[in-house]
């Protein structure tokens, strides 16, 4: 028995068991180790200029749900590698009352117990399978990064790195020379913000912006048709899926003699480890 877990932790362990450990160690410790290790390595690939723009402190609204149970054991390790996280709404109040991802999305304001005037914030829902980011004080200064915006940010990042991977000519001995292209796409539902859809079409092309029925299970199924399938509902449910062709091609590019190509490929592979596909 795993005891008290978040939905992402449970999905992770199930996938680990289904792949006989191929996805990672099938335990809650394995879940934390995979995320923290990938984050540390990804930070190490950044340049000084990039990291100078990064303010490594965040307030985590746990919605008085199980997210606090999963996050608290990681705090010291994250702080040691440069990310300071403060927890709020850790169980002392009523589940989702005045806090949580749904509250923040609907009210467009900070949750109770959280002040993001000077720092960034994020909110889970009760079982921690939704995530929303925000910054600024309440009122006109509040800025919410909902699922639509998170998906666009991920799409822009992956597209920039993937271009370097696709420019790499795979040696014949890698036996994947036939994989000449990889399809990056974004899956939305009819409830997506229209402006975000227009921006996604501009960035990725209309053929790579898919509309699925409402519900994560429909978005997940549609994303499987892509080599890098990004999907997020506006409420913060979502993830990114990576195909075997993507892993093979990107792994080959990570061995490139060109430093920029190898760095981009390694960043993509670390991003995959940091994102819970399950």
């Amino acid at each position: 028995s795993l005891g008290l877990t978040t939905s992402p932790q449970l999905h992770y362990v199930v996938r680990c068991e289904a792949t006989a450990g191929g996805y990672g160690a099938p335990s809650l410790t394995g879940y934390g180790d995979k995320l923290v290790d990938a984050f540390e390595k990804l930070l190490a690939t950044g340049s000084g200029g990039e990291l100078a723009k990064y303010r490594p402190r965040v307030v985590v609204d746990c919605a008085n749900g199980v997210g606090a149970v999963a996050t608290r054991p990681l705090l010291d390790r994250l702080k040691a590698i440069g990310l300071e996280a403060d927890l709020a709404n850790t169980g002392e109040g009523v589940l989702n009352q005045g806090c949580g991802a749904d509250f923040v999305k609907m009210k467009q304001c900070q949750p109770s117990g959280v002040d993001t005037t000077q720092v960034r914030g994020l909110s889970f829902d009760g079982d921690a399978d939704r995530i929303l980011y925000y910054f600024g004080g309440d009122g006109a200064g509040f800025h919410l990064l909902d699922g639509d915006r998170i998906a666009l940010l991920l799409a822009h990042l992956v597209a920039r790195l993937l271009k370097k991977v696709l420019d790499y000519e795979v040696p014949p001995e890698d036996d994947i020379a036939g994989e000449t292209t990889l399809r990056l796409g974004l899956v939305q539902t009819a409830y997506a913000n229209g402006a975000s859809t227009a921006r996604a079409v501009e960035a990725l092309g209309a053929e790579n912006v898919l509309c699925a029925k409402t519900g994560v299970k429909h978005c997940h199924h549609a994303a499987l048709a892509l080599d890098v399938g990004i999907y997020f509902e506006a409420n913060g449910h979502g993830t990114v899926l990576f195909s075997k062709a993507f892993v093979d091609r990107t792994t080959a590019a990570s061995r490139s003699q060109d430093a920029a190509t190898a760095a981009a490929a390694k960043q993509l592979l670390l991003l995959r480890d940091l994102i819970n596909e399950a």
Side-chain angles (χ1 to χ4, degrees):
S1 171
L2 295 173
L4 193 61
T5 69
T6 66
S7 290
Q9 286 177 316
L10 178 59
H11 296 164
Y12 164 84
V13 172
V14 169
R15 178 157 180 173
C16 289
E17 293 286 3
T19 58
Y23 189 66
S27 66
L28 300 186
T29 300
Y31 174 85
D33 287 347
K34 183 172 182 176
L35 296 183
V36 175
D37 290 348
F39 182 63
E40 182 176 15
K41 291 174 182 175
L42 191 58
L43 280 180
T45 67
S47 68
E50 290 173 327
L51 293 177
K53 301 175 184 178
Y54 179 61
R55 289 179 287 176
R57 187 182 171 207
V58 66
V59 180
V60 183
D61 163 29
C62 300
N64 289 315
V66 296
V69 177
T71 308
R72 189 174 284 111
L74 307 180
L75 296 181
D76 288 343
R77 294 178 63 188
L78 289 172
K79 187 174 183 179
I81 60 177
L83 176 61
E84 185 175 350
D86 300 315
L87 304 187
N89 301 313
T90 58
E92 63 276 10
V94 178
L95 179 66
N96 292 325
Q97 184 171 301
C99 59
D102 194 52
F103 173 86
V104 173
K105 173 65 176 171
M106 296 296 292
K107 301 296 184 180
Q108 297 283 309
C109 68
Q110 301 172 117
S112 62
V114 173
D115 182 2
T116 54
T117 306
Q118 300 296 328
V119 298
R120 295 183 176 94
L122 66 88
S123 285
F124 298 143
D125 62 344
D127 63 341
D129 66 349
R130 295 190 204 180
I131 188 169
L132 298 178
Y133 289 90
Y134 42 88
F135 57 92
D138 284 339
F142 183 76
H143 299 279
L144 174 65
L145 301 182
D146 62 6
D148 292 332
R149 290 175 172 84
I150 292 171
L152 282 173
L153 287 171
L154 284 168
H156 280 287
L157 172 62
V158 173
R160 176 170 59 84
L161 297 174
L162 193 59
K163 184 179 185 302
K164 291 185 174 65
V165 170
L166 293 177
D167 288 343
Y168 173 67
E169 186 173 342
V170 180
E173 58 267 24
D174 280 337
D175 198 28
I176 58 169
E179 301 290 349
T180 57
T181 189
L182 295 172
R183 187 182 178 193
L184 165 64
L186 180 61
V187 180
Q188 296 184 318
T189 71
Y191 290 98
N193 181 290
S196 75
T197 302
R199 188 67 187 90
V201 168
E202 180 183 336
L204 303 176
E207 70 280 6
N208 294 317
V209 181
L210 312 180
C211 185
K213 294 179 181 178
T214 303
V216 173
K217 66 178 182 180
H218 299 297
C219 294
H220 191 97
H221 180 76
L224 288 171
L226 303 162
D227 291 298
V228 183
I230 302 168
Y231 70 87
F232 267 88
E233 293 184 313
N235 62 20
H237 276 132
T239 191
V240 185
L241 305 181
F242 302 90
S243 71
K244 182 179 183 302
F246 164 87
V247 175
D248 290 346
R249 180 71 183 264
T250 307
T251 300
S254 72
R255 298 190 287 266
S256 170
Q257 295 302 305
D258 178 73
T261 298
K266 289 173 183 176
Q267 287 177 334
L268 281 171
L269 293 171
L270 288 169
L271 186 65
R272 176 179 178 250
D273 282 342
L274 190 58
I275 293 171
N276 186 5
E277 294 179 79

